[in-house]
Amino acid sequence: MKKQINTTQSGSPQLDHTIKRVMGGTFPLPEQVEQAKNEAFAKIRAMAAGEEPQGNRDAASSYHSHSQPITAKNESKEIQNMEPAHDSFCQPITAENDSKKEQAYVSQKSPKKFKKTFFRGLAVAGAAIISCIYFANTGVSASAQIPIVSRVFENLGENLEFAGDYANLAEPVKYAETGMETKTVNGTSVTLSEAYCNETALYLSLVVHSEEPLPDTFVGQDGKPIVEIRSLVDFNFDEEGMIDWTNGGNWHIDGKMADEYTYAGVIRFGLKQYYANQNIEIPENFHVKLSFSQIIGTKLEDARPKIPQELKDQYEAGMKENGLGLTDEERMQFTEEQKAIEEQLYEDMMDGYFERYPERLQYPNHYDNWILDGPWDFEFDVSKSSKDIVRKEINDVDENDLGLIAVTKTPVEITLEREENLDHFPVVFDADGNLLETSSSSFDTVSISGHDTSKIDVYICSYIEYMDELKTYYWTEGYEERAKTKTFQQLLDERALYHKEIVFDGP
């Protein structure tokens, strides 16, 4: 039976609550991109408000003024928070908040996109979508980044989300009758060059080359351009036919711009994740059909139409008719009834906007994204590697599905096997007590690059408690000082629902 994720409606109040909690979460921003982030968000705020990126704005647009300091916490929450903004009046109505309200409006009008975004970016890294700085394609030397197509893994290996010595792990993609294949559609060529497959995942490297320069592209907090794939995959060892890649794989291409025409990266499909509980063994050799329908980037340059002045005037006239002020100070004093009136006026304005520009409610769209249309179709063979794979059978699960079934360690990752339960959240520490970060596609998979994983400690927490309280202990400023009294792992010793120490042979 095909394993699917329902991306249109959850049917579960608990899941809906979980979605809101995740999207309202905060994530750290690397210090090395802080300066670029500050510059970019000044522009993003202006774009989100439908204004020119300039400091002086007239009185008619005063409700877009700034009043909050720029912080990683505020930016990550405001720019991508999809939760409906019913609580937005607990703080001044700034450009950041208007951007959040517009995102909320889009989410309410397009729940499919909202839920899909949730399932993609659920993990801490999902984070690639949550906090953006800018990246210009021009000026990057192709020879400095990706010297030849057949060595993508070698050149990106240590910078991937799942970093590793891929030069000694990956092998050329095995085509039936030819060597490396390049497919060209609509002026864009895609080359699928290398593969690495183990017990838990399939990794594929690819190079995308466009005849026209690729538009400047936003990058995530990891410093990598936000480039998405739309693809279907078929493995010949199951009976399912074509599978949506995002049901088991990372939605993005983890890579770099080689030059303004070329993007090179790696995609990953979690075999263990997708086939969990299906009693399907991954064979030593299997055949793959892979079809890329679209490659999508998030634009840097704002191409979105502005909110027409007529609609702004209607909004402000409605505010005045109801005796509601337009300044931040006046908004802070609104009663609950006044907040509801303002929210309705805002929604009316946005209804008018999206009636004029309905494409803005779709994803992807040519205002917010650059889009390369395929399809690019490939067929090839894959051999599974058993090199340095260690699987530990745990079989410690209680009647509430709390616990571990097994743990698998590969040269690049550790994957937990446990019963599916949206109420639980796993946390993994290395032998030195350092947190191992979850992947962008699954809570149950962590990257091990740079860590001593001869021993790990696995904790399972209440999902709501972790998102509401526990994670802030580690991810907010001042953790180093707090850790002098109590480390994050010691906190979980006290608060987690489950703990298991697992010892591996070797690092």
Side-chain angles (χ1 to χ4, degrees):
M1 181 177 181
K2 185 173 181 179
K3 180 179 179 182
Q4 295 181 326
I5 295 177
N6 185 340
T7 59
T8 57
Q9 57 183 356
S10 71
S12 165
Q14 178 67 36
L15 177 55
D16 292 339
H17 181 67
T18 297
I19 291 171
K20 290 184 178 183
R21 292 300 183 188
V22 174
M23 286 316 205
T26 59
F27 301 87
L29 191 65
E31 295 181 357
Q32 61 266 35
V33 301
E34 183 71 20
Q35 181 176 355
K37 181 267 297 181
N38 289 342
E39 296 172 359
F41 273 114
K43 182 174 182 179
I44 293 170
R45 287 196 186 96
M47 293 192 300
E51 302 288 343
E52 295 298 326
Q54 59 187 22
N56 297 324
R57 299 197 174 107
D58 57 29
S61 300
S62 64
Y63 62 94
H64 291 303
S65 63
H66 305 307
S67 65
Q68 288 186 328
I70 299 174
T71 66
K73 179 178 179 181
N74 289 339
E75 303 313 334
S76 63
K77 184 174 181 180
E78 300 298 333
I79 295 301
Q80 199 66 25
N81 188 349
M82 295 288 192
E83 181 176 351
H86 299 306
D87 299 325
S88 59
F89 288 90
C90 63
Q91 52 187 332
I93 301 300
T94 63
E96 304 99 299
N97 295 332
D98 276 341
S99 175
K100 182 171 73 172
K101 288 171 68 178
E102 181 178 326
Q103 291 281 20
Y105 177 96
V106 174
S107 299
Q108 291 168 333
K109 297 295 182 181
S110 182
K112 184 174 182 179
K113 177 188 172 185
F114 170 44
K115 297 293 180 63
K116 180 177 180 182
T117 303
F118 161 66
F119 281 109
R120 286 185 193 148
L122 207 55
V124 171
I129 314 175
I130 293 174
S131 193
C132 297
I133 62 171
Y134 67 85
F135 176 89
N137 299 338
T138 56
V140 180
S141 167
S143 60
Q145 297 290 353
I146 313 295
I148 57 176
V149 170
S150 61
R151 296 167 57 194
V152 175
F153 269 125
E154 180 179 342
N155 287 275
L156 295 180
E158 293 306 317
N159 295 307
L160 296 171
E161 178 184 3
F162 292 94
D165 183 16
Y166 288 98
N168 293 316
L169 296 171
E171 57 185 28
V173 169
K174 300 175 183 178
Y175 295 100
E177 299 178 356
T178 65
M180 184 183 303
E181 289 190 5
T182 296
K183 302 294 179 69
T184 301
V185 180
N186 298 325
T188 300
S189 299
V190 175
T191 304
L192 204 61
S193 62
E194 303 160 282
Y196 169 57
C197 181
N198 56 44
E199 188 67 29
T200 63
L202 169 63
Y203 295 83
L204 297 169
S205 68
L206 69 154
V207 175
V208 179
H209 182 80
S210 173
E211 291 180 356
E212 300 294 329
L214 297 171
D216 291 348
T217 306
F218 278 119
V219 306
Q221 66 170 17
D222 56 3
K224 300 174 185 177
I226 299 175
V227 180
E228 176 182 351
I229 59 168
R230 291 284 182 85
S231 61
L232 298 173
V233 63
D234 178 32
F235 303 112
N236 70 341
F237 55 79
D238 64 29
E239 299 179 354
E240 298 190 33
M242 301 301 282
I243 301 167
D244 188 327
W245 183 273
T246 58
N247 282 351
N250 289 15
W251 59 271
H252 65 289
I253 304 174
D254 186 3
K256 293 182 178 180
M257 292 289 181
D259 57 27
E260 60 183 325
Y261 301 91
T262 310
Y263 188 79
V266 173
I267 57 177
R268 174 186 181 277
F269 190 91
L271 297 167
K272 183 69 70 176
Q273 171 190 342
Y274 184 79
Y275 290 106
N277 304 318
Q278 295 192 48
N279 296 319
I280 294 178
E281 292 293 330
I282 310 303
E284 296 300 317
N285 299 281
F286 55 94
H287 189 72
V288 180
K289 295 180 181 179
L290 183 60
S291 178
F292 299 97
S293 60
Q294 286 184 320
I295 299 170
I296 303 162
T298 300
K299 287 182 179 180
L300 166 64
E301 295 298 331
D302 178 25
R304 293 177 291 178
K306 298 177 182 179
I307 298 175
Q309 189 62 46
E310 173 191 351
L311 296 178
K312 291 183 181 180
D313 291 342
Q314 291 175 4
Y315 168 86
E316 294 187 1
M319 293 285 283
K320 292 177 181 178
E321 288 175 7
N322 287 277
L324 303 179
L326 297 172
T327 68
D328 292 339
E329 290 76 12
E330 289 172 313
R331 293 168 185 272
M332 287 292 288
Q333 305 302 317
F334 283 178
T335 65
E336 291 299 319
E337 181 179 358
Q338 290 171 326
K339 294 176 188 179
I341 293 173
E342 193 279 341
E343 287 290 337
Q344 186 59 56
L345 291 171
Y346 184 87
E347 287 193 18
D348 291 344
M349 178 175 67
M350 297 309 297
D351 280 338
Y353 175 78
F354 286 108
E355 284 176 4
R356 300 187 188 194
Y357 305 105
E359 190 181 356
R360 281 290 320 281
L361 287 173
Q362 302 173 1
Y363 180 85
N365 66 73
H366 291 281
Y367 295 125
D368 301 298
N369 311 101
W370 54 260
I371 304 168
L372 304 176
D373 288 310
W376 300 270
D377 297 326
F378 297 89
E379 285 195 47
F380 52 95
D381 295 311
V382 171
S383 296
K384 185 178 71 174
S385 172
S386 59
K387 181 180 179 181
D388 297 327
I389 306 295
V390 181
R391 176 181 168 85
K392 295 281 187 178
E393 299 288 347
I394 308 299
N395 295 318
D396 180 22
V397 182
D398 67 15
E399 65 277 6
N400 297 314
D401 294 333
L402 177 64
L404 294 174
I405 299 171
V407 177
T408 302
K409 178 182 175 181
T410 79
V412 296
E413 66 189 50
I414 288 175
T415 297
L416 311 177
E417 292 178 50
R418 59 190 182 93
E419 297 293 341
E420 293 186 25
N421 191 322
L422 290 173
D423 292 330
H424 297 160
F425 187 91
V427 185
V428 184
F429 294 87
D430 69 9
D432 299 316
N434 298 314
L435 181 67
L436 295 175
E437 294 188 27
T438 55
S439 82
S440 59
S441 62
S442 172
F443 289 139
D444 293 307
T445 301
V446 294
S447 173
I448 64 174
S449 176
H451 291 271
D452 177 359
T453 53
S454 57
K455 178 184 78 73
I456 63 171
D457 285 273
V458 179
Y459 295 84
I460 298 179
C461 304
S462 159
Y463 187 97
I464 299 301
E465 182 182 23
Y466 184 83
M467 290 297 168
D468 281 359
E469 303 177 37
L470 300 179
K471 73 170 185 177
T472 60
Y473 187 85
Y474 181 82
W475 289 113
T476 54
E477 293 182 6
Y479 172 70
E480 290 185 2
E481 190 64 30
R482 291 192 293 274
K484 294 177 181 178
T485 302
K486 181 185 297 183
T487 67
F488 189 39
Q489 184 172 0
Q490 289 171 333
L491 175 65
L492 296 194
D493 281 328
E494 299 173 356
R495 305 279 291 276
L497 305 175
Y498 174 90
H499 173 219
K500 177 70 70 173
E501 179 184 287
I502 300 166
V503 178
F504 294 100
D505 295 328

Short mmCIF file of all heavy atoms in Angstrom, two decimals, residues 386-424:
data_model
loop_
_atom_site.label_atom_id
_atom_site.label_comp_id
_atom_site.label_asym_id
_atom_site.label_seq_id
_atom_site.Cartn_x
_atom_site.Cartn_y
_atom_site.Cartn_z
N SER A 386 27.05 -1.31 1.26
CA SER A 386 26.97 -1.72 2.66
C SER A 386 28.20 -1.29 3.44
O SER A 386 28.37 -1.66 4.60
CB SER A 386 26.82 -3.25 2.74
OG SER A 386 27.92 -3.89 2.11
N LYS A 387 29.03 -0.46 2.81
CA LYS A 387 30.27 -0.01 3.45
C LYS A 387 29.97 0.84 4.68
O LYS A 387 29.26 1.85 4.60
CB LYS A 387 31.11 0.79 2.45
CG LYS A 387 32.44 1.28 3.02
CD LYS A 387 33.22 2.06 1.98
CE LYS A 387 34.54 2.57 2.55
NZ LYS A 387 35.30 3.36 1.54
N ASP A 388 30.50 0.42 5.83
CA ASP A 388 30.40 1.18 7.08
C ASP A 388 28.95 1.43 7.49
O ASP A 388 28.61 2.50 8.02
CB ASP A 388 31.15 2.51 6.98
CG ASP A 388 32.64 2.32 6.75
OD1 ASP A 388 33.19 1.33 7.26
OD2 ASP A 388 33.25 3.16 6.06
N ILE A 389 28.09 0.46 7.27
CA ILE A 389 26.70 0.55 7.71
C ILE A 389 26.54 -0.28 8.99
O ILE A 389 26.91 -1.45 9.03
CB ILE A 389 25.72 0.02 6.64
CG1 ILE A 389 25.95 0.73 5.30
CG2 ILE A 389 24.28 0.19 7.11
CD1 ILE A 389 25.65 2.20 5.31
N VAL A 390 26.00 0.32 10.02
CA VAL A 390 25.77 -0.37 11.28
C VAL A 390 24.31 -0.21 11.68
O VAL A 390 23.81 0.91 11.75
CB VAL A 390 26.67 0.18 12.41
CG1 VAL A 390 26.41 -0.58 13.71
CG2 VAL A 390 28.14 0.10 12.02
N ARG A 391 23.64 -1.31 11.92
CA ARG A 391 22.24 -1.27 12.35
C ARG A 391 22.13 -1.89 13.74
O ARG A 391 22.62 -3.00 13.98
CB ARG A 391 21.35 -2.03 11.37
CG ARG A 391 19.89 -2.11 11.79
CD ARG A 391 19.08 -2.91 10.78
NE ARG A 391 17.76 -3.25 11.27
CZ ARG A 391 16.69 -2.45 11.18
NH1 ARG A 391 16.81 -1.26 10.61
NH2 ARG A 391 15.51 -2.83 11.64
N LYS A 392 21.53 -1.17 14.65
CA LYS A 392 21.31 -1.65 16.01
C LYS A 392 19.82 -1.90 16.23
O LYS A 392 19.00 -0.99 16.13
CB LYS A 392 21.79 -0.60 17.02
CG LYS A 392 23.31 -0.34 17.01
CD LYS A 392 24.06 -1.42 17.75
CE LYS A 392 25.53 -1.07 17.89
NZ LYS A 392 26.26 -2.09 18.66
N GLU A 393 19.48 -3.14 16.53
CA GLU A 393 18.09 -3.47 16.87
C GLU A 393 17.85 -3.08 18.33
O GLU A 393 18.58 -3.52 19.22
CB GLU A 393 17.84 -4.96 16.68
CG GLU A 393 18.02 -5.45 15.25
CD GLU A 393 16.92 -5.00 14.33
OE1 GLU A 393 15.88 -4.51 14.84
OE2 GLU A 393 17.08 -5.12 13.10
N ILE A 394 16.85 -2.26 18.55
CA ILE A 394 16.55 -1.79 19.91
C ILE A 394 15.29 -2.47 20.45
O ILE A 394 15.29 -3.01 21.56
CB ILE A 394 16.36 -0.26 19.93
CG1 ILE A 394 17.56 0.44 19.25
CG2 ILE A 394 16.19 0.23 21.37
CD1 ILE A 394 18.89 0.19 19.90
N ASN A 395 14.21 -2.43 19.69
CA ASN A 395 12.95 -3.08 20.06
C ASN A 395 12.51 -2.73 21.49
O ASN A 395 12.22 -3.59 22.31
CB ASN A 395 13.08 -4.60 19.90
CG ASN A 395 13.28 -5.01 18.46
OD1 ASN A 395 12.64 -4.47 17.56
ND2 ASN A 395 14.21 -5.94 18.24
N ASP A 396 12.48 -1.45 21.73
CA ASP A 396 12.08 -0.95 23.05
C ASP A 396 10.97 0.09 22.85
O ASP A 396 11.21 1.29 22.84
CB ASP A 396 13.30 -0.32 23.75
CG ASP A 396 12.97 0.21 25.14
OD1 ASP A 396 11.96 -0.25 25.73
OD2 ASP A 396 13.71 1.09 25.63
N VAL A 397 9.75 -0.40 22.64
CA VAL A 397 8.60 0.46 22.38
C VAL A 397 7.45 0.05 23.30
O VAL A 397 7.13 -1.15 23.39
CB VAL A 397 8.15 0.36 20.91
CG1 VAL A 397 6.97 1.30 20.64
CG2 VAL A 397 9.30 0.67 19.96
N ASP A 398 6.84 1.02 23.96
CA ASP A 398 5.77 0.68 24.89
C ASP A 398 4.41 0.72 24.19
O ASP A 398 4.31 0.95 22.97
CB ASP A 398 5.79 1.59 26.12
CG ASP A 398 5.46 3.05 25.81
OD1 ASP A 398 4.93 3.34 24.71
OD2 ASP A 398 5.72 3.91 26.67
N GLU A 399 3.34 0.55 24.95
CA GLU A 399 2.00 0.47 24.39
C GLU A 399 1.53 1.80 23.81
O GLU A 399 0.55 1.86 23.07
CB GLU A 399 1.01 0.00 25.45
CG GLU A 399 0.80 0.94 26.62
CD GLU A 399 1.87 0.78 27.70
OE1 GLU A 399 2.84 0.01 27.46
OE2 GLU A 399 1.74 1.42 28.76
N ASN A 400 2.22 2.90 24.14
CA ASN A 400 1.88 4.21 23.60
C ASN A 400 2.76 4.61 22.43
O ASN A 400 2.84 5.79 22.06
CB ASN A 400 1.98 5.27 24.71
CG ASN A 400 1.00 5.04 25.83
OD1 ASN A 400 -0.17 4.76 25.59
ND2 ASN A 400 1.49 5.11 27.06
N ASP A 401 3.45 3.62 21.83
CA ASP A 401 4.35 3.83 20.69
C ASP A 401 5.54 4.72 21.05
O ASP A 401 6.12 5.36 20.17
CB ASP A 401 3.60 4.44 19.49
CG ASP A 401 2.57 3.49 18.92
OD1 ASP A 401 2.74 2.27 19.07
OD2 ASP A 401 1.58 3.98 18.33
N LEU A 402 5.89 4.74 22.31
CA LEU A 402 7.03 5.52 22.77
C LEU A 402 8.26 4.64 22.84
O LEU A 402 8.26 3.61 23.53
CB LEU A 402 6.74 6.13 24.14
CG LEU A 402 7.87 6.93 24.79
CD1 LEU A 402 8.18 8.17 23.96
CD2 LEU A 402 7.48 7.32 26.22
N GLY A 403 9.32 5.01 22.12
CA GLY A 403 10.55 4.24 22.16
C GLY A 403 11.15 4.06 20.79
O GLY A 403 10.75 4.69 19.81
N LEU A 404 12.14 3.17 20.69
CA LEU A 404 12.89 2.94 19.45
C LEU A 404 12.75 1.50 18.99
O LEU A 404 12.78 0.57 19.80
CB LEU A 404 14.37 3.26 19.66
CG LEU A 404 14.74 4.72 19.93
CD1 LEU A 404 16.23 4.81 20.26
CD2 LEU A 404 14.41 5.60 18.73
N ILE A 405 12.64 1.34 17.67
CA ILE A 405 12.66 0.01 17.07
C ILE A 405 14.09 -0.37 16.71
O ILE A 405 14.57 -1.45 17.03
CB ILE A 405 11.77 -0.03 15.82
CG1 ILE A 405 10.31 0.29 16.19
CG2 ILE A 405 11.86 -1.39 15.13
CD1 ILE A 405 9.41 0.49 14.98
N ALA A 406 14.78 0.53 16.02
CA ALA A 406 16.15 0.29 15.60
C ALA A 406 16.82 1.62 15.29
O ALA A 406 16.16 2.66 15.14
CB ALA A 406 16.20 -0.63 14.39
N VAL A 407 18.16 1.60 15.15
CA VAL A 407 18.94 2.76 14.77
C VAL A 407 19.95 2.31 13.73
O VAL A 407 20.64 1.31 13.92
CB VAL A 407 19.65 3.40 15.97
CG1 VAL A 407 20.51 4.58 15.51
CG2 VAL A 407 18.65 3.86 17.01
N THR A 408 20.05 3.04 12.61
CA THR A 408 20.99 2.71 11.55
C THR A 408 21.97 3.87 11.37
O THR A 408 21.56 5.02 11.21
CB THR A 408 20.28 2.43 10.22
OG1 THR A 408 19.36 1.36 10.40
CG2 THR A 408 21.28 2.06 9.14
N LYS A 409 23.26 3.53 11.36
CA LYS A 409 24.31 4.53 11.15
C LYS A 409 25.02 4.25 9.83
O LYS A 409 25.43 3.13 9.56
CB LYS A 409 25.32 4.47 12.30
CG LYS A 409 26.49 5.44 12.17
CD LYS A 409 27.44 5.27 13.35
CE LYS A 409 28.69 6.12 13.21
NZ LYS A 409 29.62 5.93 14.33
N THR A 410 25.13 5.28 8.99
CA THR A 410 25.85 5.19 7.72
C THR A 410 27.03 6.16 7.80
O THR A 410 27.20 6.86 8.79
CB THR A 410 24.93 5.57 6.55
OG1 THR A 410 24.82 7.00 6.47
CG2 THR A 410 23.56 4.94 6.69
N PRO A 411 27.86 6.24 6.76
CA PRO A 411 28.98 7.19 6.80
C PRO A 411 28.57 8.65 6.87
O PRO A 411 29.42 9.51 7.15
CB PRO A 411 29.73 6.89 5.49
CG PRO A 411 29.41 5.48 5.18
CD PRO A 411 27.99 5.31 5.61
N VAL A 412 27.29 8.97 6.61
CA VAL A 412 26.90 10.38 6.58
C VAL A 412 25.73 10.72 7.49
O VAL A 412 25.45 11.90 7.70
CB VAL A 412 26.56 10.82 5.13
CG1 VAL A 412 27.80 10.74 4.25
CG2 VAL A 412 25.42 10.00 4.55
N GLU A 413 25.03 9.72 8.04
CA GLU A 413 23.82 10.04 8.81
C GLU A 413 23.49 8.94 9.80
O GLU A 413 24.01 7.83 9.74
CB GLU A 413 22.63 10.23 7.86
CG GLU A 413 22.24 8.94 7.15
CD GLU A 413 21.22 9.15 6.05
OE1 GLU A 413 21.42 10.04 5.21
OE2 GLU A 413 20.22 8.40 6.04
N ILE A 414 22.59 9.27 10.71
CA ILE A 414 21.99 8.29 11.62
C ILE A 414 20.48 8.41 11.48
O ILE A 414 19.93 9.52 11.51
CB ILE A 414 22.41 8.52 13.08
CG1 ILE A 414 23.87 8.11 13.28
CG2 ILE A 414 21.52 7.74 14.04
CD1 ILE A 414 24.42 8.41 14.66
N THR A 415 19.82 7.27 11.30
CA THR A 415 18.36 7.25 11.15
C THR A 415 17.73 6.44 12.26
O THR A 415 18.17 5.31 12.54
CB THR A 415 17.96 6.66 9.79
OG1 THR A 415 18.47 7.52 8.75
CG2 THR A 415 16.45 6.59 9.66
N LEU A 416 16.74 7.03 12.90
CA LEU A 416 15.99 6.34 13.95
C LEU A 416 14.77 5.67 13.35
O LEU A 416 14.10 6.26 12.49
CB LEU A 416 15.54 7.34 15.02
CG LEU A 416 16.57 8.32 15.59
CD1 LEU A 416 15.88 9.27 16.58
CD2 LEU A 416 17.72 7.58 16.25
N GLU A 417 14.47 4.48 13.81
CA GLU A 417 13.22 3.81 13.43
C GLU A 417 12.35 3.75 14.67
O GLU A 417 12.76 3.22 15.71
CB GLU A 417 13.50 2.41 12.91
CG GLU A 417 14.23 2.38 11.58
CD GLU A 417 14.52 0.96 11.13
OE1 GLU A 417 13.56 0.13 11.12
OE2 GLU A 417 15.68 0.66 10.80
N ARG A 418 11.17 4.33 14.58
CA ARG A 418 10.23 4.34 15.69
C ARG A 418 8.82 4.37 15.12
O ARG A 418 8.62 4.64 13.94
CB ARG A 418 10.47 5.54 16.61
CG ARG A 418 10.35 6.89 15.93
CD ARG A 418 10.84 8.04 16.80
NE ARG A 418 10.65 9.32 16.12
CZ ARG A 418 9.59 10.10 16.25
NH1 ARG A 418 8.61 9.76 17.05
NH2 ARG A 418 9.50 11.24 15.59
N GLU A 419 7.86 4.09 15.95
CA GLU A 419 6.48 4.15 15.51
C GLU A 419 6.09 5.60 15.23
O GLU A 419 6.49 6.51 15.96
CB GLU A 419 5.54 3.56 16.57
CG GLU A 419 5.78 2.09 16.88
CD GLU A 419 5.44 1.19 15.71
OE1 GLU A 419 4.70 1.63 14.80
OE2 GLU A 419 5.92 0.04 15.70
N GLU A 420 5.32 5.80 14.17
CA GLU A 420 4.89 7.16 13.84
C GLU A 420 3.97 7.69 14.93
O GLU A 420 2.99 7.05 15.29
CB GLU A 420 4.17 7.18 12.50
CG GLU A 420 5.09 6.87 11.32
CD GLU A 420 4.38 7.03 9.99
OE1 GLU A 420 3.40 7.80 9.94
OE2 GLU A 420 4.79 6.38 9.02
N ASN A 421 4.30 8.86 15.44
CA ASN A 421 3.48 9.48 16.48
C ASN A 421 3.75 10.98 16.46
O ASN A 421 4.84 11.43 16.81
CB ASN A 421 3.82 8.89 17.85
CG ASN A 421 2.81 9.30 18.91
OD1 ASN A 421 2.34 10.43 18.92
ND2 ASN A 421 2.47 8.38 19.81
N LEU A 422 2.76 11.75 16.04
CA LEU A 422 2.93 13.19 15.93
C LEU A 422 3.06 13.88 17.28
O LEU A 422 3.41 15.05 17.34
CB LEU A 422 1.75 13.79 15.16
CG LEU A 422 1.70 13.46 13.66
CD1 LEU A 422 0.39 13.97 13.07
CD2 LEU A 422 2.87 14.04 12.91
N ASP A 423 2.79 13.14 18.35
CA ASP A 423 2.92 13.75 19.68
C ASP A 423 4.34 13.71 20.20
O ASP A 423 4.63 14.27 21.25
CB ASP A 423 2.02 13.02 20.68
CG ASP A 423 0.54 13.24 20.39
OD1 ASP A 423 0.22 14.32 19.85
OD2 ASP A 423 -0.27 12.34 20.68
N HIS A 424 5.25 13.02 19.47
CA HIS A 424 6.61 12.83 19.96
C HIS A 424 7.63 13.51 19.05
O HIS A 424 7.43 13.62 17.84
CB HIS A 424 6.94 11.33 20.05
CG HIS A 424 6.09 10.58 21.02
ND1 HIS A 424 5.92 9.21 20.97
CD2 HIS A 424 5.34 11.01 22.07
CE1 HIS A 424 5.13 8.83 21.95
NE2 HIS A 424 4.76 9.91 22.63
#
